[in-house]
Amino acid sequence: MINEEIVSKRYADAFLAYAGEAIGFDKALDELQRAKRIIRDNPDLKEFFDHLEITNSEKAEVMEIVFKDDFSEEIRQFFKLLIEKSRIMLFVDIAEYSRIHYAHGIEVDTLLRTSYPLETST
């Protein structure tokens, strides 16, 4: 089975790539963080989403009510995908990964050429 950290990274990267084009990268990242705070600050809501006996359609209905007014369609669709794939319990990890790795914007690989060697110690 794939490590939860790897799964969280894949979902975070995919959501930010998709939503970044639709609503803007900064707004997508902000919505992830606001949704994370709502879930984290409401343990009953987190427990509801994690509960195995509650159907996916019931979870999707509640999610639609909770996140309807202040969130984009993109994040609501992302929640529905996580619910459908039984990965909703990873949402806080996905949002936290996004915060840590994208807090300063989109990561870009670069090549630095200098006329003298640089030390690479951290």
Side-chain angles (χ1 to χ4, degrees):
M1 187 168 157
I2 298 178
N3 180 324
E4 287 182 1
E5 185 177 326
I6 294 169
V7 173
S8 296
K9 176 191 181 320
R10 288 182 181 172
Y11 275 95
D13 292 343
F15 172 74
L16 289 171
Y18 163 72
E21 288 182 20
I23 62 173
F25 184 84
D26 291 336
K27 183 175 181 184
L29 189 59
D30 178 63
E31 286 194 354
L32 278 176
Q33 298 315 305
R34 288 189 301 127
K36 177 186 77 173
R37 282 191 296 275
I38 289 170
I39 292 174
R40 186 191 60 213
D41 294 346
N42 295 286
D44 291 338
L45 184 61
K46 183 176 182 341
E47 186 178 322
F48 173 83
F49 283 130
D50 291 345
H51 203 284
L52 298 175
E53 293 180 14
I54 298 172
T55 67
N56 287 348
S57 61
E58 291 171 322
K59 290 177 184 179
E61 286 177 30
V62 169
M63 179 280 309
E64 196 65 44
I65 292 167
V66 171
F67 296 102
K68 182 180 181 183
D69 294 331
D70 296 328
F71 291 88
S72 68
E73 179 65 24
E74 287 74 16
I75 198 156
R76 291 194 311 271
Q77 289 299 322
F78 183 58
F79 270 112
K80 288 177 185 174
L81 174 71
L82 292 174
I83 290 168
E84 179 183 312
K85 300 293 183 183
S86 299
R87 304 250 194 228
I88 192 65
M89 75 288 291
L90 294 177
F91 179 77
V92 171
D93 294 335
I94 292 167
E96 189 61 16
Y97 170 87
S98 299
R99 183 190 66 78
I100 291 168
H101 291 287
Y102 294 107
H104 301 291
I106 299 173
E107 202 173 279
V108 177
D109 291 328
T110 61
L111 174 64
L112 176 65
R113 294 180 186 212
T114 65
S115 59
Y116 55 91
L118 296 175
E119 291 187 32
T120 58
S121 63
T122 55

